[in-house]
Amino acid sequence: MKTNPRTAPQRGFHFDYLMWLFTRLSALAMYLLAIAAILAALLMSARQNMTVADLMRWAFMPNPNHVANTNIPDIEAWKGIFWQVMGILMLFFAGAHGLHGLLNVLEDYISRTWVRNFLRGLVLLVWVFMSAIGIYVILTS
Amino acid sequence: MGLKRNVGLMEGLRYQGKGPMLTYILHRIGGLGIVLFVALHILASFLSNQAWGTSAGIFINAIYEHWLFQIFIFFCALFHAINGLRIVILDLWPVLIEYQREAIWLEWFVFLPIYGIALIVIIRGGLGG
Ligand code: HEM
């Protein structure tokens, strides 16, 4: 197999390094958002009969439609700007982290420069599109 | 260095990276699994909000609500989250890298019981309560 030489990674602050850091920091941010939402669910007195799915529903998308069938007495508490912002933050971190990760994996197996550049553009477009419909769903539910 | 990749698939599979290599592969599969699930999920919730897309939304929903898919996706999510936390901690505090093997053991100690219990619950539900 013939591989094209590529420029060696630069040292210091540059895009790939920043994304490396972002991957780690967004992972921490997702942990904090998930813990905050689970604590909130417990404070809203969801203490009995919770399932794994309920836990996931609160943790990763604290949004009235998404938690509607979980063991929460009052769905009203999840409405409002605060949980919308929390949902959008989760969407932002998960989307950017996940799609950058996908790109990372693809680039491990693809070395042709134009294909890599094409994929970077494509993944960016997918990210913008998924974020747009995701925010739409959050704000309309 | 490191940029020339002419390792074939079979050669790659024969690489004996042991514990850390296993976590790397599972982390990668897990991340990709979550991307797949999240993308389907956002798409389905958007579609079922639109009059023209309701049936497509319900169809996609049925895929990931299936208990077999749940076994897969919960593995992905739990492993990726726990292993990811280890990566973050060791990467941001590099002095700890010395304890990588211990960290990986610890990780399995946390992962296996949680996943095991979830597996029992999911399978019981899947086979009709
Ligand atoms: C609490 C949640 C999460 C944590 C702690 C976490 C942690 C991490 C870390 C540390 C990496 C870098 C691995 C490396 O450089 O070797 C990573 C990669 C990745 N993550 Fe996550 N992540 C989380 C959630 C997610 C979510 C929600 C998605 C999908 C939407 C996702 C998709 C990916 C993908 C595709 C990769 C690339 C895998 C690779 O390069 O092999 N992660 N994650």
Side-chain angles (χ1 to χ4, degrees):
Chain A
M1 188 174 89
K2 187 178 173 305
T3 48
N4 297 329
R6 286 190 288 124
T7 45
Q10 299 159 255
R11 283 177 157 266
F13 281 89
H14 56 93
F15 184 70
D16 286 331
Y17 170 68
L18 288 178
M19 285 314 289
W20 180 90
L21 199 60
F22 175 79
T23 299
R24 272 113 193 108
L25 295 182
S26 59
L28 283 182
M30 283 186 274
Y31 256 100
L32 293 182
L33 288 170
I35 290 171
I38 290 179
L39 284 181
L42 293 177
L43 288 176
M44 294 173 198
S45 62
R47 292 211 175 91
Q48 292 140 16
N49 297 326
M50 44 181 158
T51 66
V52 177
D54 287 1
L55 219 52
M56 295 300 215
R57 281 178 178 275
W58 301 322
F60 291 105
M61 193 39 72
N63 170 279
N65 269 353
H66 195 245
V67 299
N69 296 320
T70 60
N71 179 35
I72 295 272
D74 184 13
I75 214 67
E76 289 298 310
W78 294 97
K79 293 194 174 148
I81 184 77
F82 178 75
W83 290 111
Q84 287 179 341
V85 171
M86 292 286 275
I88 291 173
L89 280 176
M90 181 59 98
L91 177 69
F92 169 76
F93 285 125
H97 173 112
L99 286 175
H100 176 262
L102 175 64
L103 191 64
N104 219 2
V105 175
L106 292 174
E107 294 196 345
D108 266 357
Y109 305 108
I110 290 164
S111 51
R112 241 178 249 150
T113 312
W114 74 266
V115 185
R116 297 162 71 94
N117 288 337
F118 173 74
L119 284 174
R120 288 192 166 206
L122 190 67
V123 168
L124 189 65
L125 275 182
V126 170
W127 181 56
V128 170
F129 175 72
M130 294 309 282
S131 300
I133 63 174
I135 290 174
Y136 170 83
V137 170
I138 291 175
L139 293 184
T140 54
S141 62
Chain B
M1 188 204 84
L3 293 176
K4 212 168 115 256
R5 303 192 197 92
N6 40 16
V7 180
L9 180 64
M10 289 324 284
E11 209 176 328
L13 287 179
R14 269 200 306 273
Y15 173 66
Q16 301 271 311
K18 303 232 171 72
M21 175 70 180
L22 181 66
T23 62
Y24 153 78
I25 286 292
L26 292 178
H27 194 79
R28 182 155 274 198
I29 295 172
L32 294 177
I34 309 172
V35 170
L36 176 73
F37 168 67
V38 171
L40 283 177
H41 199 27
I42 296 177
L43 211 59
S45 62
F46 175 72
L47 286 174
S48 27
N49 265 1
Q50 310 315 111
W52 48 269
T54 317
S55 59
I58 292 172
F59 174 72
I60 301 177
N61 257 323
I63 300 178
Y64 59 68
E65 276 172 5
H66 196 276
W67 61 281
L68 288 174
F69 194 89
Q70 305 240 321
I71 289 178
F72 168 69
I73 199 61
F74 191 62
F75 179 89
C76 291
L78 192 65
F79 186 84
H80 194 91
I82 294 176
N83 188 53
L85 190 61
R86 173 192 58 95
I87 297 177
V88 172
I89 293 173
L90 296 191
D91 273 356
L92 295 185
W93 288 274
V95 283
L96 295 176
I97 199 72
E98 220 182 301
Y99 302 104
Q100 158 150 281
R101 301 226 164 224
E102 287 82 352
I104 290 175
W105 278 115
L106 187 63
E107 197 186 311
W108 285 114
F109 274 123
V110 176
F111 175 83
L112 288 176
I114 301 182
Y115 188 65
I117 293 171
L119 209 56
I120 295 172
V121 174
I122 296 173
I123 292 178
R124 266 227 313 248
L127 298 182

Short mmCIF file of all heavy atoms in Angstrom, two decimals, chain B residues 32-61:
data_model
loop_
_atom_site.label_atom_id
_atom_site.label_comp_id
_atom_site.label_asym_id
_atom_site.label_seq_id
_atom_site.Cartn_x
_atom_site.Cartn_y
_atom_site.Cartn_z
N LEU B 32 -18.30 5.30 18.44
CA LEU B 32 -19.01 5.24 17.17
C LEU B 32 -20.45 4.79 17.38
O LEU B 32 -21.38 5.30 16.75
CB LEU B 32 -18.30 4.31 16.19
CG LEU B 32 -16.91 4.79 15.76
CD1 LEU B 32 -16.26 3.76 14.84
CD2 LEU B 32 -17.00 6.12 15.04
N GLY B 33 -20.64 3.83 18.29
CA GLY B 33 -21.99 3.35 18.59
C GLY B 33 -22.86 4.49 19.10
O GLY B 33 -24.02 4.63 18.69
N ILE B 34 -22.30 5.32 19.99
CA ILE B 34 -23.10 6.41 20.53
C ILE B 34 -23.41 7.44 19.44
O ILE B 34 -24.53 7.95 19.37
CB ILE B 34 -22.40 7.13 21.71
CG1 ILE B 34 -21.92 6.13 22.75
CG2 ILE B 34 -23.35 8.09 22.38
CD1 ILE B 34 -21.07 6.75 23.83
N VAL B 35 -22.44 7.72 18.59
CA VAL B 35 -22.71 8.67 17.50
C VAL B 35 -23.88 8.17 16.65
O VAL B 35 -24.81 8.92 16.33
CB VAL B 35 -21.46 8.87 16.60
CG1 VAL B 35 -21.82 9.64 15.34
CG2 VAL B 35 -20.37 9.60 17.35
N LEU B 36 -23.84 6.87 16.32
CA LEU B 36 -24.93 6.29 15.53
C LEU B 36 -26.26 6.46 16.24
O LEU B 36 -27.25 6.94 15.67
CB LEU B 36 -24.63 4.80 15.30
CG LEU B 36 -25.71 4.02 14.56
CD1 LEU B 36 -25.71 4.42 13.10
CD2 LEU B 36 -25.51 2.53 14.72
N PHE B 37 -26.28 6.09 17.53
CA PHE B 37 -27.53 6.16 18.29
C PHE B 37 -28.02 7.60 18.41
O PHE B 37 -29.20 7.88 18.14
CB PHE B 37 -27.32 5.55 19.68
CG PHE B 37 -28.45 5.83 20.62
CD1 PHE B 37 -29.70 5.28 20.40
CD2 PHE B 37 -28.26 6.65 21.73
CE1 PHE B 37 -30.75 5.55 21.27
CE2 PHE B 37 -29.30 6.91 22.59
CZ PHE B 37 -30.54 6.37 22.37
N VAL B 38 -27.13 8.51 18.79
CA VAL B 38 -27.56 9.90 18.99
C VAL B 38 -28.08 10.49 17.69
O VAL B 38 -29.11 11.17 17.67
CB VAL B 38 -26.40 10.74 19.57
CG1 VAL B 38 -26.75 12.21 19.58
CG2 VAL B 38 -26.08 10.30 20.99
N ALA B 39 -27.40 10.20 16.58
CA ALA B 39 -27.84 10.74 15.30
C ALA B 39 -29.23 10.21 14.95
O ALA B 39 -30.13 10.98 14.58
CB ALA B 39 -26.84 10.38 14.21
N LEU B 40 -29.44 8.89 15.10
CA LEU B 40 -30.76 8.31 14.82
C LEU B 40 -31.82 8.93 15.73
O LEU B 40 -32.93 9.25 15.29
CB LEU B 40 -30.74 6.80 15.07
CG LEU B 40 -30.09 5.91 14.03
CD1 LEU B 40 -30.11 4.46 14.51
CD2 LEU B 40 -30.83 6.03 12.71
N HIS B 41 -31.43 9.12 16.98
CA HIS B 41 -32.37 9.58 17.98
C HIS B 41 -32.83 11.01 17.69
O HIS B 41 -34.02 11.32 17.74
CB HIS B 41 -31.68 9.50 19.34
CG HIS B 41 -32.62 9.51 20.49
ND1 HIS B 41 -33.90 9.05 20.41
CD2 HIS B 41 -32.47 9.92 21.76
CE1 HIS B 41 -34.49 9.18 21.58
NE2 HIS B 41 -33.64 9.72 22.42
N ILE B 42 -31.87 11.89 17.37
CA ILE B 42 -32.22 13.28 17.07
C ILE B 42 -33.10 13.32 15.82
O ILE B 42 -34.13 14.00 15.77
CB ILE B 42 -30.96 14.14 16.87
CG1 ILE B 42 -30.16 14.21 18.17
CG2 ILE B 42 -31.33 15.54 16.40
CD1 ILE B 42 -28.86 14.99 18.05
N LEU B 43 -32.69 12.54 14.81
CA LEU B 43 -33.45 12.51 13.56
C LEU B 43 -34.88 12.03 13.81
O LEU B 43 -35.84 12.63 13.33
CB LEU B 43 -32.74 11.55 12.59
CG LEU B 43 -32.85 11.87 11.11
CD1 LEU B 43 -32.29 13.26 10.84
CD2 LEU B 43 -32.09 10.84 10.31
N ALA B 44 -35.01 10.95 14.60
CA ALA B 44 -36.34 10.39 14.86
C ALA B 44 -37.21 11.40 15.60
O ALA B 44 -38.39 11.57 15.27
CB ALA B 44 -36.23 9.10 15.66
N SER B 45 -36.62 12.08 16.61
CA SER B 45 -37.46 12.99 17.39
C SER B 45 -37.86 14.18 16.53
O SER B 45 -38.97 14.71 16.66
CB SER B 45 -36.74 13.45 18.65
OG SER B 45 -35.59 14.15 18.32
N PHE B 46 -36.96 14.60 15.63
CA PHE B 46 -37.33 15.69 14.72
C PHE B 46 -38.44 15.24 13.77
O PHE B 46 -39.45 15.93 13.61
CB PHE B 46 -36.10 16.14 13.92
CG PHE B 46 -36.41 17.18 12.89
CD1 PHE B 46 -36.71 18.48 13.27
CD2 PHE B 46 -36.42 16.86 11.54
CE1 PHE B 46 -37.00 19.45 12.32
CE2 PHE B 46 -36.70 17.82 10.59
CZ PHE B 46 -37.00 19.12 10.98
N LEU B 47 -38.26 14.06 13.17
CA LEU B 47 -39.23 13.58 12.19
C LEU B 47 -40.61 13.37 12.82
O LEU B 47 -41.62 13.75 12.25
CB LEU B 47 -38.75 12.27 11.56
CG LEU B 47 -37.61 12.42 10.57
CD1 LEU B 47 -37.10 11.06 10.12
CD2 LEU B 47 -38.06 13.25 9.38
N SER B 48 -40.61 12.79 14.04
CA SER B 48 -41.95 12.53 14.59
C SER B 48 -42.63 13.81 15.05
O SER B 48 -43.82 13.81 15.35
CB SER B 48 -41.92 11.47 15.70
OG SER B 48 -40.68 11.44 16.33
N ASN B 49 -41.90 14.93 15.06
CA ASN B 49 -42.53 16.23 15.31
C ASN B 49 -43.20 16.81 14.05
O ASN B 49 -44.00 17.73 14.15
CB ASN B 49 -41.49 17.25 15.76
CG ASN B 49 -41.42 17.34 17.27
OD1 ASN B 49 -42.14 16.63 17.95
ND2 ASN B 49 -40.58 18.20 17.78
N GLN B 50 -42.80 16.28 12.88
CA GLN B 50 -43.32 16.84 11.63
C GLN B 50 -44.44 15.94 11.11
O GLN B 50 -44.31 14.71 11.14
CB GLN B 50 -42.25 16.90 10.53
CG GLN B 50 -40.94 17.52 10.86
CD GLN B 50 -41.06 18.82 11.63
OE1 GLN B 50 -40.72 18.90 12.78
NE2 GLN B 50 -41.55 19.87 10.98
N ALA B 51 -45.48 16.55 10.61
CA ALA B 51 -46.60 15.75 10.10
C ALA B 51 -46.13 14.80 8.99
O ALA B 51 -46.54 13.64 8.94
CB ALA B 51 -47.70 16.67 9.58
N TRP B 52 -45.21 15.28 8.11
CA TRP B 52 -44.82 14.47 6.97
C TRP B 52 -43.85 13.35 7.35
O TRP B 52 -43.58 12.47 6.53
CB TRP B 52 -44.19 15.33 5.87
CG TRP B 52 -43.13 16.28 6.38
CD1 TRP B 52 -43.33 17.56 6.80
CD2 TRP B 52 -41.73 16.02 6.55
NE1 TRP B 52 -42.14 18.10 7.22
CE2 TRP B 52 -41.15 17.18 7.07
CE3 TRP B 52 -40.92 14.89 6.30
CZ2 TRP B 52 -39.78 17.27 7.37
CZ3 TRP B 52 -39.57 14.99 6.59
CH2 TRP B 52 -39.01 16.17 7.12
N GLY B 53 -43.33 13.37 8.56
CA GLY B 53 -42.29 12.40 8.86
C GLY B 53 -42.62 11.43 9.97
O GLY B 53 -41.78 10.64 10.38
N THR B 54 -43.87 11.50 10.46
CA THR B 54 -44.19 10.73 11.66
C THR B 54 -43.87 9.25 11.53
O THR B 54 -43.25 8.66 12.41
CB THR B 54 -45.68 10.89 12.01
OG1 THR B 54 -46.01 12.26 11.84
CG2 THR B 54 -45.95 10.46 13.42
N SER B 55 -44.26 8.64 10.40
CA SER B 55 -44.07 7.19 10.31
C SER B 55 -42.59 6.85 10.23
O SER B 55 -42.16 5.84 10.80
CB SER B 55 -44.83 6.63 9.11
OG SER B 55 -44.37 7.24 7.93
N ALA B 56 -41.80 7.69 9.54
CA ALA B 56 -40.35 7.44 9.50
C ALA B 56 -39.78 7.54 10.91
O ALA B 56 -38.95 6.73 11.32
CB ALA B 56 -39.67 8.44 8.57
N GLY B 57 -40.24 8.54 11.67
CA GLY B 57 -39.77 8.71 13.04
C GLY B 57 -40.08 7.49 13.89
O GLY B 57 -39.23 6.99 14.62
N ILE B 58 -41.31 6.99 13.75
CA ILE B 58 -41.70 5.82 14.55
C ILE B 58 -40.90 4.59 14.15
O ILE B 58 -40.48 3.79 14.98
CB ILE B 58 -43.22 5.56 14.39
CG1 ILE B 58 -44.00 6.70 15.06
CG2 ILE B 58 -43.62 4.22 15.00
CD1 ILE B 58 -45.49 6.67 14.83
N PHE B 59 -40.61 4.48 12.85
CA PHE B 59 -39.81 3.35 12.37
C PHE B 59 -38.41 3.38 12.99
O PHE B 59 -37.93 2.37 13.51
CB PHE B 59 -39.71 3.40 10.84
CG PHE B 59 -38.80 2.36 10.26
CD1 PHE B 59 -39.17 1.02 10.26
CD2 PHE B 59 -37.57 2.72 9.74
CE1 PHE B 59 -38.33 0.06 9.75
CE2 PHE B 59 -36.71 1.76 9.22
CZ PHE B 59 -37.10 0.43 9.22
N ILE B 60 -37.76 4.56 12.97
CA ILE B 60 -36.42 4.65 13.55
C ILE B 60 -36.47 4.38 15.05
O ILE B 60 -35.62 3.69 15.60
CB ILE B 60 -35.79 6.03 13.27
CG1 ILE B 60 -35.72 6.27 11.76
CG2 ILE B 60 -34.39 6.11 13.85
CD1 ILE B 60 -35.19 7.64 11.39
N ASN B 61 -37.48 4.91 15.70
CA ASN B 61 -37.66 4.67 17.13
C ASN B 61 -37.67 3.19 17.45
O ASN B 61 -37.05 2.75 18.42
CB ASN B 61 -39.01 5.24 17.59
CG ASN B 61 -38.82 6.54 18.33
OD1 ASN B 61 -37.86 6.69 19.07
ND2 ASN B 61 -39.72 7.47 18.12
#
